[in-house]
Every structure is written in C-alpha cells, then in structure tokens.
Amino acid sequence: MPPPSTKTLAALLGRATLDDHEEVLAAANATLRTSKDDTKAQHVKVVALIKLDRYEEALQTLERGSDDLKQHAALEHGYALYKLGRWADAESLAKGHPTGRGPQHVEAQAAYRLEEFEHAAQLYRNLANQPAQVQNEDVDLRINTTATGAQLAWVVDVARQGSTPKLVRADLEAFETTYNAACSNIARGELARAEVLLKRATDLGTRWIAQNNILACSSSKQNPYLAHRLFHSRSTLQQNDSPFQYQDSRLQHNAAVLELLQLKYAAVANSSSRKLNQLGPSTSASVNKISVLNAAAHARNRSGRACFNTLLPLSGERPHHVGLPVTVIQQCASAKSYDAAANLLRSYLSDLESAADVGERDVRFAPGLIGLFVSLHQRQGRIKEARVELKKAAVYWQKKQQHPSLLRAGGAELLHSGKADDLEAATLIFEGLRDRDPSDHAALAGIVASRAFASGENAPPEEQQLSPISSLTAGIDVDALEQAGIPRAPAPASRSRKRKDAEHADKPAKKRSRKSRLPKNYDASKPPDPERWLPLRDRSTYKAKNKRGKAKAAALTQGGIAPSQAETSSQRAGIGPGGKTDNAGSGTAPKGKKKKGRGGR
C-alpha cells in the first residue's frame, strides 16, 4: 500500500476528531517518510505531539525543521518551551511574534511563571479588551487575570496593584477563580473571608496550597498531628504546577512549624542547619526564616533567659547569619535588657564590617539592621552613636543609589552635624535622590537646606519647586499650639545621679518622717525612771518568777555576793547545798530513799 500523500493527509485531517491524535501522528509520519521537507506534514506532527503531551519530541521536530516551519509554528514552539519549563526562552520567542492572540497568551503565561506579574497583568488586560477568538477563551482569561491579581497582591503594594475585579457568581463555581480570590483576601489581611473561600475551593477540588492556607487562616486550635497529616497528604506535582519560590518558602516554613508543634526539635534543627551551612549572610526573608526556625528548634520553644543561654553560644558558631543574632537580640529586648541587645548588635556589625565580600558588606549596612541599631541606641539616650551609624550607612548606599528611605534619613542626620564635609555629603545624597525621582519633595528640601547651610544661598532654584511656607501654615492655629505646649520625648531609662541632683537642686528637700521611739504609756508630766538605763533584772523592782530565778539573781556579781564568797560563808554557817544543815557531828551519812520495786514492794 503506497504511503499517503499530502492530499490524503489533508482529507484525514478534515474528518479527524479530538480523540484520534495517534492516527493523525501516524499519517504525518507516513507522509514525512516520502517527503521529509513537507512543512505542512511537519506542522501537523508537532501539533499531534503536543496534543499527546510529548513536548520533547515536538521541540526536537521543530528544531530539526526549516525556518519556514518555525515561522508557521511559532505558537506551538513557544508552548512546547513553556511546558518544558523553559519560560525565558518561551517569552523571548513570543515577543518575536507579536501578531496574533496565541503568542500573547504564551508570553503572558511565561511572564507569570517568571514572576513578572505586572507585565503579565498588562498582557491579560490587552487580551481582555479584544474580542475572543476561541471557545471558552474568556474563561481562561478570567482565571489567569484573577491569578495574576492575587500574585500582585502578595509581592506588590496594594496601591500599585490597582483595582481588583469583583467576583461574580460564576467565579465561585470554579476552583481556580475561588482560590485566586481567597489568596487576594489573604494578602489584604481579610482572613475570615479568605477562610470561607478556601473551604469553598476545597469542596470544588482539593489542592495542596489551599489546604496550607486553610491551616494558616484557621483561628481555632487544631491538633498538630492531624494538621501535619493533612498538610502532607498531597500527590506529586508536575513541573508547571510547582509553587513559586516565595510560595515554596512559606510552605517549607509552615511544615517546619508543624514539626515544632509536634516536638520534633532535633529534626527541624538538623534540616535547617544543613540548609544554613550552604548559605551565606543574606537579608532575604526566606533565608532568615530558616535561622529563626533553627533557633526555635535549639531553644525547644523556650523564651527568656533559658532561650538566651542556649542561643548565645550557637550564634558564635554562625556569626555571619542575620536571623540568629537578631533572634537573640529580640530575646534580650523582650527581657528589657537593652544594653545587652545593643552590645550584641555592635559586635555583630563589627564582624561584618571586617569582611571583604561585597555581599556581606551589603548585609552590614542593611536598612533593617541600621534601623534596629538606631532604635536601641535612641532608647538608651545615645543619640550621637545612632547618628554616626546612620551617616555611615547613608554614605555607603549613596554610591549605589539604593534604599532611598535610608538615604533620606541619613542625609537629614548629616544636616544636623553642621560640618562642611557632612553638608557636602548631604548635598550629594539629596542630588542623587533628585536625579532618580525629580518629583521627590524630600530630596528637593534636602538640597535647599544643605546649600543654605553650606554656602548661605538663600534661594536655590530647587526652592521654586516646593510649596510656599504660607500655603503649608495656612490652616494652623498658632494660639492653640502655644497653649498645647511643646511635646517632648520620654527621658532615657538610665540617667546619672549627678544629673538627677542637678535637676532637683532648686526644690526644697523633703523631711523624712521618723517613727516615734517613746513608750506607749509615756506621760510628759511624770519624771522618768532613773533606773531606765539598767537591765530589767538589775532594777529594784525586778522580781524573779521562781526559785531558780531567785538563785540566779543572787549569784549575780553586780550589787551581790560573789559565788566563792557565798560558798565560804555557807560552809562556816554549816549550811550545805540546797539550804539544808549538814549533820557533821553525828558521824553517819544520811540514808537515801529506797526505790520501790515492782508491785510497790
């Protein structure tokens, strides 16, 4: 039987259905055996392979084909790259073929997987403004648009995200749109509504991330063992269904938290230590969360001094990781040991400052650590050290033109110093901010202030772009401000004794009330007892309670007879001990009493 020709293949495609892709592929291969350069047969083969999820073979067929085939099958080429996880290649290929809705869909999907959510949202808006050309294309657009909006709510400010499309009843009938709406609510902090939508999503179709979000949003206390089992009850995910990087870090964090709730401290400590040993110092939240989990595992969920004593030696083993020392500093601050927290932070920053790696230097002047340093030292009243550190950070980041908020704060501190070098550095910082954003009013005001201090220039050209002072003070009631007084910051906790004495020098000293030492029945009209200074037993009014006390009183030397003298006089008088007369002349000793035996005998 002769192989089918191109006409036979066209006739076969005319009566083919969605279920016979194998038959179409077999006919295309038979045609290519007789005509290897048949572009139409090659195109049919690529489509059939994609329908059969054989993306590797489809990509190989496209790469072996001619340029004419790649031009006609640009959509299939980009889709095969996308399904194989080569998202950057798929995006660049789709950008080279801007005509047609198919390449725009591929470009939007690839941008979504590359976490370029703003670009993907713009592409989907452009597609939504045009009429659909394929059945159910509007449904796919709705799902992808809500998914992109949910991702923007997580990684982009809500103000930049724009308006979120409102849910309609049809959106609650599909898992994808319901789940996307729940994620948007979580990003906005509307957890109660998100929990309702997630339960609705699990009813429509259980998914791993949906289960995770239900556990995270639930306000009721759950059994950690059952929660762990539910969290890990998932099937193997395909590459295109794998979570994004920020989602994966949150999932791993939640899994570790569940293990900590099950008291699996050793497992969490070992797994997190292996990850930290492969990582260097970083300001990434996902990396520092691993350090916090490692600290919680070693401290066994304890806090206070017990946690501090456990983590302090551990921080010496990994001195360059940010999460662990910050956790120790937080424990010190929670115990109100601000001096210890400030000392630990200074030691950590000095270790990073001596590092030669550029990444470690960036961590040394990270805005979060600089803000923590300034906050701790301001609380202690050490304003000068806080300003010096802020100026060092501003000078460092001014060369890279990064972190504008820190640059504004550092430039303001440079203005307060009044030195010529600092004023020149402040001018450079504010000019760099102005070049980056010409509408930055804080940068313009900084330029005006620095030039006015440095050169005495009263009206720099930047002053014309600022609002006049009269418009800023138009609605201010000066009299009300004067009556309200000037607010002052609270005084630092530790102050010297000399400063306290100087503040209270003009105040009269308070008399301390002493407790009265007079007796209860004291009468000023009666003369005091002259024997009040003598001990009670030596007073004339003292009376012993028993005979033993009388004998003891008689034996006292003060005002009485010494024991040796009393014994001599007793012997002369013939009186023995106990006051009895000795029967010395009888010559017989007195008989003692006979003890009674048993029975009274």
Side-chain angles (χ1 to χ4, degrees):
M1 180 178 178
S5 62
T6 305
K7 295 182 179 180
T8 308
L9 180 61
L12 181 61
L13 292 174
R15 65 175 185 271
T17 62
L18 293 177
D19 298 328
D20 51 14
H21 305 300
E22 291 286 356
E23 186 179 354
V24 173
L25 177 61
N29 287 331
T31 303
L32 290 173
R33 280 194 291 270
T34 58
S35 178
K36 295 182 179 181
D37 297 332
D38 192 337
T39 304
K40 188 173 182 179
Q42 291 176 345
H43 194 178
V44 170
K45 179 180 179 180
V46 168
V47 174
L49 289 172
I50 290 176
K51 292 290 186 179
L52 295 171
D53 296 338
R54 294 159 65 175
Y55 305 108
E56 284 282 358
E57 298 179 34
L59 186 60
Q60 292 174 3
T61 303
L62 286 165
E63 291 177 349
R64 289 195 301 263
S66 61
D67 294 338
D68 190 18
L69 173 64
K70 296 175 182 178
Q71 183 69 25
H72 285 85
L75 173 61
E76 291 80 4
H77 194 179
Y79 186 74
L81 290 170
Y82 167 76
K83 295 297 288 185
L84 291 173
R86 297 169 58 178
W87 303 313
D89 296 338
E91 184 183 26
S92 61
L93 181 64
K95 286 181 179 179
H97 299 79
T99 58
R101 297 176 63 85
Q104 292 186 42
H105 275 283
V106 173
E107 182 183 357
Q109 285 290 89
Y112 180 86
R113 296 303 307 183
L114 292 171
E115 303 187 25
E116 300 172 359
F117 301 120
E118 293 185 358
H119 180 49
Q122 182 62 41
L123 289 172
Y124 283 127
R125 280 194 293 269
N126 296 338
L127 289 169
N129 293 331
Q130 302 171 7
Q133 297 179 358
V134 183
Q135 186 179 6
N136 295 327
E137 184 184 0
D138 54 343
V139 177
D140 292 339
L141 277 175
R142 182 71 178 177
I143 293 172
N144 294 337
T145 302
T146 54
T148 308
Q151 302 290 5
L152 282 172
W154 280 104
V155 300
V156 182
D157 296 337
V158 178
R160 290 173 54 193
Q161 178 192 356
S163 60
T164 304
K166 295 183 178 180
L167 288 177
V168 296
R169 186 174 183 83
D171 294 334
L172 299 178
E173 299 298 329
F175 165 80
E176 290 81 1
T177 50
T178 306
Y179 173 72
N180 294 337
C183 291
S184 298
N185 289 327
I186 293 174
R188 288 175 169 78
E190 301 172 357
L191 300 183
R193 186 177 180 184
E195 187 175 4
V196 174
L197 291 173
L198 287 171
K199 289 180 179 178
R200 173 65 179 168
T202 52
D203 293 339
L204 295 171
T206 304
R207 297 293 188 273
W208 178 31
I209 299 180
Q211 292 174 356
N212 167 80
N213 292 344
I214 288 177
L215 294 173
C217 295
S218 178
S219 57
S220 60
K221 189 175 181 179
Q222 298 184 2
N223 187 330
Y225 299 96
L226 295 178
H228 184 271
R229 182 178 179 182
L230 178 62
F231 180 81
H232 289 283
S233 60
R234 68 180 189 274
S235 57
T236 304
L237 298 176
Q238 298 180 0
Q239 184 176 10
N240 286 310
D241 293 333
S242 59
F244 294 103
Q245 181 180 3
Y246 76 94
Q247 291 174 331
D248 186 59
S249 64
R250 288 183 173 90
L251 291 170
Q252 293 181 8
H253 176 268
N254 292 344
V257 169
L258 287 174
E259 290 185 350
L260 288 176
L261 292 176
Q262 296 179 86
L263 310 182
K264 296 181 179 180
Y265 302 122
V268 177
N270 294 333
S271 62
S272 57
S273 296
R274 285 194 299 268
K275 293 178 182 178
L276 290 174
N277 292 334
Q278 301 173 0
L279 302 171
S282 173
T283 56
S284 172
S286 59
V287 175
N288 292 320
K289 281 181 180 179
I290 300 175
S291 296
V292 175
L293 291 170
N294 184 266
H298 280 91
R300 296 180 175 270
N301 286 347
R302 295 174 296 179
S303 60
R305 182 170 294 277
C307 175
F308 177 78
N309 295 335
T310 304
L311 298 183
L312 189 58
L314 190 63
S315 62
E317 299 176 4
R318 290 192 292 270
H320 292 169
H321 286 92
V322 181
L324 186 57
V326 170
T327 304
V328 178
I329 292 170
Q330 183 186 20
Q331 292 297 320
C332 293
S334 300
K336 298 184 178 179
S337 300
Y338 301 110
D339 292 339
N343 293 334
L344 286 172
L345 183 57
R346 280 198 301 271
S347 176
Y348 175 67
L349 293 180
S350 63
D351 292 341
L352 287 177
E353 194 167 2
S354 60
D357 188 13
V358 178
E360 295 185 10
R361 296 279 294 174
D362 290 347
V363 174
R364 161 66 180 85
F365 294 104
L369 292 178
I370 299 301
L372 181 60
F373 185 95
V374 172
S375 177
L376 287 173
H377 285 72
Q378 284 182 345
R379 189 177 186 88
Q380 294 177 302
R382 302 159 73 173
I383 307 298
K384 185 177 180 180
E385 295 185 20
R387 286 182 176 177
V388 170
E389 187 65 28
L390 198 56
K391 287 190 291 185
K392 288 169 59 178
V395 172
Y396 178 80
W397 290 115
Q398 188 267 336
K399 302 175 183 177
K400 299 186 176 184
Q401 288 298 318
Q402 297 179 10
H403 306 298
S405 59
L406 190 146
L407 290 175
R408 294 189 193 99
E413 294 299 330
L414 289 171
L415 291 176
H416 286 131
S417 68
K419 298 180 181 179
D421 296 340
D422 292 342
L423 292 175
E424 184 178 356
T427 304
L428 294 175
I429 289 173
F430 287 121
E431 286 179 350
L433 291 172
R434 188 268 317 272
D435 296 340
R436 185 176 181 180
D437 184 7
S439 62
D440 190 349
H441 289 81
L444 296 174
I447 293 173
V448 173
S450 60
R451 290 181 179 174
F453 283 130
S455 60
E457 187 177 355
N458 295 328
E462 288 79 9
E463 187 177 356
Q464 305 299 327
Q465 304 179 34
L466 298 175
S467 302
I469 298 178
S470 58
S471 64
L472 298 176
T473 59
I476 297 177
D477 189 353
V478 180
D479 297 333
L481 288 177
E482 289 182 351
Q483 293 178 1
I486 301 175
R488 292 184 179 181
S494 60
R495 295 188 297 175
S496 63
R497 182 78 178 180
K498 294 181 179 180
R499 186 180 299 177
K500 291 183 179 179
D501 295 341
E503 291 179 358
H504 299 284
D506 54 344
K507 296 183 180 179
K510 295 182 179 180
K511 293 183 179 181
R512 191 176 68 176
S513 60
R514 297 180 178 274
K515 188 177 181 181
S516 176
R517 296 184 179 181
L518 296 174
K520 294 182 180 179
N521 300 327
Y522 174 73
D523 189 359
S525 61
K526 295 181 180 181
D529 185 8
E531 296 181 351
R532 63 186 181 275
W533 307 113
L534 298 175
L536 184 63
R537 63 178 178 271
D538 294 341
R539 299 180 187 180
S540 59
T541 59
Y542 175 72
K543 293 181 180 181
K545 295 182 179 180
N546 49 31
K547 295 179 180 180
R548 189 175 181 181
K550 290 180 180 180
K552 186 176 181 181
L556 297 176
T557 60
Q558 185 175 359
I561 303 174
S564 59
Q565 299 175 359
E567 184 180 355
T568 305
S569 59
S570 300
Q571 291 176 357
R572 290 176 182 175
I575 301 174
K580 294 183 180 181
T581 304
D582 292 340
N583 194 5
S586 62
T588 59
K591 296 180 179 180
K593 292 183 180 181
K594 186 178 181 181
K595 293 182 179 180
K596 292 183 180 182
R598 294 184 180 180
R601 297 178 183 176

